[in-house]
Amino acid sequence: MSIEWNIQAPACTCTACQKTFNDGDQLCSLLQFGAEGYARHDYCTACWAEKERAGATGVWQGVFRAPAPPPDEPLKKETAESLLRHMMETEDEKHGNAIFILAVMLERRRILVERDVQTREDGVKIRIYEHKKTNETFIIPDPELKLAELTHVQEEVVLLLGGTPPKKAEAKTEEKTATDEHGSNTDGA
Ligand SMILES: [Zn+2]
């Protein structure tokens, strides 16, 4: 089975009544797994109340945010978010671990919010994140990394982001960099 990383943008209209959402409207989002993979459906609160009576589950509530124009940043170094998007586009299995780590990084930075965890038929855990600003849904299989793998992948990702992987066990804070580098780094194995 192929890996489906997937980004689903919020619909601009209600799936049921086709009402166009306005900025700030409440909406209910439902993710369904079908033959074509995941499909996201957004409903206005009135239509959702009806679906709910019909027994629909797996939903989260959100607020519709009208899409902002893309920021015209000059091409500078890759951010965790742009790297995640690029990697998800490649649909290359070898990026699976890095994609997951990037999603976790973005969750810590409160750019993504975890909305749901589903277990696919083949037992793979699927984490469903929502982008706080754009309301896009990021569907990311959890590779369930072991601690050793985790550290390795984290280092890889930091390198890709143009940083220096921490030499010690883990980076404590990101802001604190190279405050104290006067050659006291004698590991002497
Ligand atoms: Zn509706």
Side-chain angles (χ1 to χ4, degrees):
M1 180 178 268
S2 67
I3 297 182
E4 313 89 20
W5 297 292
N6 197 315
I7 301 179
Q8 305 248 336
C12 291
T13 55
C14 170
T15 301
C17 71
Q18 310 297 320
K19 178 181 96 88
T20 303
F21 294 124
N22 293 312
D23 195 54
D25 278 0
Q26 292 286 330
L27 52 81
C28 291
S29 306
L30 174 70
L31 208 58
Q32 283 174 328
F33 189 71
E36 304 281 304
Y38 277 100
R40 169 176 167 157
H41 301 286
D42 297 300
Y43 297 92
C44 68
T45 45
C47 290
W48 178 253
E50 273 176 44
K51 284 204 66 78
E52 213 168 25
R53 278 194 286 274
T57 55
V59 71
W60 64 91
Q61 296 197 353
V63 173
F64 182 75
R65 293 283 171 229
D72 58 357
E73 277 174 71
L75 257 184
K76 51 181 184 190
K77 77 171 191 183
E78 199 93 83
T79 64
E81 183 178 340
S82 65
L83 185 61
L84 174 66
R85 288 176 186 274
H86 290 161
M87 282 184 165
M88 286 177 80
E89 271 167 26
T90 65
E91 301 196 335
D92 187 335
E93 261 182 67
K94 74 168 188 266
H95 294 319
N97 294 345
I99 285 172
F100 176 69
I101 295 292
L102 284 163
V104 172
M105 284 170 70
L106 291 172
E107 188 191 5
R108 283 196 200 128
R109 292 181 200 170
R110 300 173 192 281
I111 292 168
L112 297 181
V113 188
E114 191 176 275
R115 288 301 192 190
D116 200 8
V117 183
Q118 302 183 355
T119 306
R120 223 165 50 183
E121 275 176 22
D122 59 358
V124 175
K125 213 183 256 180
I126 307 290
R127 294 189 183 269
I128 293 150
Y129 295 95
E130 192 170 39
H131 192 291
K132 270 191 143 178
K133 284 224 176 83
T134 67
N135 284 116
E136 291 160 297
T137 305
F138 287 65
I139 297 160
I140 294 173
D142 184 344
E144 303 197 57
L145 296 168
K146 293 181 188 68
L147 192 61
E149 296 169 306
L150 198 68
T151 311
H152 178 71
V153 180
Q154 270 168 341
E155 283 171 8
E156 249 177 40
V157 167
V158 170
L159 274 175
L160 285 169
L161 290 171
T164 317
K167 290 202 176 74
K168 308 269 157 53
E170 49 186 300
K172 294 233 171 73
T173 55
E174 288 177 26
E175 307 92 79
K176 199 175 142 199
T177 48
T179 49
D180 194 30
E181 284 206 284
H182 40 70
S184 58
N185 201 353
T186 42
D187 273 343

